[in-house]
Amino acid sequence: MVRLAIDAGGQVFWNNVPVDDAALQARLQQAAQTAQSTAAQPELQLRADRNVRYERVAQVMAAAQRNGLAKIGFVTEPPP
């Protein structure tokens, strides 16, 4: 399982580690290669700040799908 988070400024975090777009692409490719060799696709759990632009969320989802990672779940937090 991979935890992706996007903060209000659009910064992406891979398992709590900040990554730029190039590093995100590399990690997605690596996850896809691992999935092919093990025949088990990792699930991406995506959490986005409520103030992040939807366009940024769509970019991250599209990058995952371009690399063959289609199991994407959305993580939400209930209101207090």
Side-chain angles (χ1 to χ4, degrees), residues 56-69:
R56 184 63 174 145
V57 175
Q59 289 170 345
V60 171
M61 290 173 53
Q65 290 178 334
R66 274 194 307 272
N67 284 286
L69 301 172

